[in-house]
Amino acid sequence: MMNPGLTIAAPVVSSVAARICAGIGVLSLVAGAILSPASVWPYLLLLSYAMIGLGLGAAAFIALQYIVGSGWSAAFRRVPEAMIAAMPLGFVGLWIVFLAHPSTYPWYGVSHDAAPGVAWFKHAWLSWPFFLVRAAVYMVIWEAFAFAMIRHSRRQDATGDVSHTKSNIHLSAGFLAAFGITSFLASVDWIMSLKPDWYSTMFGWYNFAGMFESALAVIILMTIWLERRGQFRGVINEAHLYDLGKLLFAFSTFWMYLWFSQYMLIWYSNIPEETVYFTARLRGWWLPLSIASILLNWIVPFVALMSQPVKRNAGALAKVAIVVLVGRWLDLYVMIFPSQTPGGPVFGVWEAGMTIGTIAAFLIVVFAALNRAPLVPMGDPYIRESLHHH
Amino acid sequence: MSNRYVVSLFENEHDLLEAVRTARERKFTIVDVHTPYAVHGLDAAMGARPSWMSWACAAFGLTGVTTMMAFQYWAAAVDWPVNVGGKPWNSIPAYVPVTFEAMVFAAGLGMVLTFFLACRLYPGRRARVPDPRVTDDRFAIVLEEADAAFDLDDVRRLFGRLGAVEVREHVSEVAP
């Protein structure tokens, strides 16, 4: 059963090219912060939030697998485990925005005394020190649970002890409960408060849907890539891809469901302080971007993944996953930028450099994390079931 | 057509799938395979054609969508127009949730009925199973003794090696 060929280390992607790209990203940030601060700071927020979403979504994926007792995903669990390493990267970016350019948030430093007695809760909630403390608390909670879960998973490699799986089931339950509240609040704090007079009760779920959809897309891409390179040969088969494809299909539709739920609630009640969000996004250049976001996040994956053969075809599934990732980027762009650059979308050379740098940094840290443990968790009690998944 | 059949019982799905694959390789005529629950990959192992049921499902879903859209348009914009918050009478976003539910309902109900029809299940229909235990904890392959080359002892040895717990002959006009 123990096939030594299954546990060879993943390839190192911290090549010179990746490091140069990451350097380009840092230089673009510095140059852009001086030359074009209005768009570069919110763009750093976007990239950091997307990065956190990939790590957090991967942690939620692992926790879901543990808590439902599913065996099929054990074979490639090291991929989402490695993706969690991208989370601190996003934390750093977010803290740079908070500390270097807090006025990204229009409520920063603004006195709310003009409306006494009306918005006392919002006033208290959106106070800068409380905002920073909350951000730190979310990050510590996520990182602590993720760290503990990964540690149990890696220790199990040596011992094969089922007690690690049991501990992870308990940790997963705690994590998901904490995650449900904190991920919602984090999206409200970090993204929704960019327009502090606007609110939507659907916003947190809508953000969760996009986060989970993008994390699934990256899990799919990395799994297929490792299979193509040979590291996952004999480990991953069509049935794994089929199930991952089904999840991507489902969460893509879930994203649309929540997008529309938010839209319809606001459209129906037609209250100006709520509709202001969509009126900004359905005018000028924002309209084609909003439509493109729906196209990439839902229509393309929905139509493409409807048939069974496509979900089982690695090449086709990977293409859909890339479309979904571009869609996630566009979704966040349309979420963040209309309040920052109201005149119209801004995307320049600094943003392009930061995007390249972020992708490179993601690959460097995630593949470094992938190298820190055997690629297939052979000590997992479900590993045989997963390797024979059909 | 022969009226002689062979019923082989297995204890788990892994043995069953292996036996089904072997039976196909040996060009046996598989009449049917009975399992207590849906076994993944069994249709592929049996070489079954892709099911036409998903097309029926799509047809039912589209029927639900068009019916409900048409009904809401007729109700809200033709038969009894009511001004709701100054919105146009024909306001598509308001139709979407009900249309969605109607699609799910039509597809779900339609598929249950289609399934019953396709399997010829109706009230009072007597179940035809090769062995009552296939509804509990046994997996059965039913082979037809299609030609003179069929060797029961050979099948017995072959399936015995693959984990069959029982192999018996069944003679009747209809397949068990």
Side-chain angles (χ1 to χ4, degrees), chain A residues 115-139:
Chain A
V118 183
W120 66 269
F121 182 78
K122 194 170 247 181
H123 187 181
W125 190 260
L126 293 183
S127 77
W128 194 247
F130 188 28
F131 177 86
L132 296 182
V133 169
R134 276 201 309 278
V137 169
Y138 306 148
M139 291 171 184

Side-chain angles (χ1 to χ4, degrees), chain A residues 93 103 117 182 190 193 255 258 323 334 368:
Chain A
S103 54
T182 50
W190 301 340
S193 85
W255 177 89
L258 288 171
V323 168
V334 173

Side-chain angles (χ1 to χ4, degrees), chain A residues 42-321:
Chain A
Y43 199 71
L44 180 61
L45 171 69
L46 184 156
L47 292 174
S48 310
Y49 186 68
M51 210 67 354
I52 295 172
L54 292 180
L56 199 56
F61 177 85
I62 295 168
L64 275 173
Q65 302 302 317
Y66 272 118
I67 207 165
V68 300
S70 94
W72 68 279
S73 59
F76 62 87
R77 196 180 60 229
R78 286 286 138 85
V79 171
E81 277 178 16
M83 281 166 64
I84 290 172
M87 210 156 56
L89 208 63
F91 294 163
V92 171
L94 215 53
W95 278 100
I96 292 176
V97 175
F98 292 166
L99 299 177
H101 199 257
S103 54
T104 305
Y105 293 93
W107 50 269
Y108 172 78
V110 174
S111 166
H112 295 266
D113 293 344
V118 183
W120 66 269
F121 182 78
K122 194 170 247 181
H123 187 181
W125 190 260
L126 293 183
S127 77
W128 194 247
F130 188 28
F131 177 86
L132 296 182
V133 169
R134 276 201 309 278
V137 169
Y138 306 148
M139 291 171 184
V140 167
I141 289 174
W142 300 336
E143 205 50 63
F145 273 110
F147 178 79
M149 273 161 33
I150 293 175
R151 195 173 54 170
H152 275 298
S153 170
R154 287 187 183 165
R155 285 195 177 163
Q156 196 171 44
D157 284 350
T159 62
D161 191 349
V162 186
S163 71
H164 289 300
T165 298
K166 287 182 176 152
S167 303
N168 266 350
I169 290 170
H170 290 133
L171 282 167
S172 298
F175 171 74
L176 286 175
F179 166 81
I181 298 164
T182 50
S183 73
F184 190 111
L185 291 178
S187 70
V188 169
D189 278 5
W190 301 340
I191 308 294
M192 199 167 104
S193 85
L194 289 170
K195 188 120 187 74
D197 49 356
W198 176 77
Y199 51 87
S200 160
T201 47
M202 297 301 296
F203 200 75
W205 311 130
Y206 165 55
N207 268 266
F208 162 73
M211 170 207 291
F212 206 75
E213 192 186 351
S214 63
L216 279 171
V218 174
I219 294 173
I220 287 171
L221 281 174
M222 287 183 54
T223 305
I224 289 174
W225 191 75
L226 286 167
E227 207 274 336
R228 287 269 163 94
R229 284 193 50 115
Q231 273 92 350
F232 265 169
R233 199 142 300 158
V235 176
I236 294 301
N237 59 42
E238 281 186 348
H240 293 102
L241 296 182
Y242 183 35
D243 283 356
L244 281 168
K246 280 186 271 191
L247 278 173
L248 188 66
F249 179 76
F251 276 93
S252 156
T253 303
F254 184 62
W255 177 89
M256 188 66 236
Y257 180 86
L258 288 171
W259 190 100
F260 183 76
S261 299
Q262 177 169 281
Y263 174 79
M264 199 195 69
L265 288 174
I266 290 172
W267 170 83
Y268 225 127
S269 58
N270 202 12
I271 300 169
E273 66 216 59
E274 290 181 358
T275 51
V276 65
Y277 181 82
F278 281 109
T279 49
R281 280 155 185 80
L282 298 177
R283 280 184 188 157
W285 276 103
W286 301 111
L287 176 64
L289 290 184
S290 297
I291 293 170
S293 160
I294 291 172
L295 196 73
L296 299 179
N297 275 298
W298 181 59
I299 295 176
V300 170
F302 183 77
V303 173
L305 293 179
M306 200 165 338
S307 85
Q308 203 185 66
V310 173
K311 288 188 284 254
R312 303 179 79 102
N313 178 326
L317 189 58
K319 285 189 190 80
V320 176

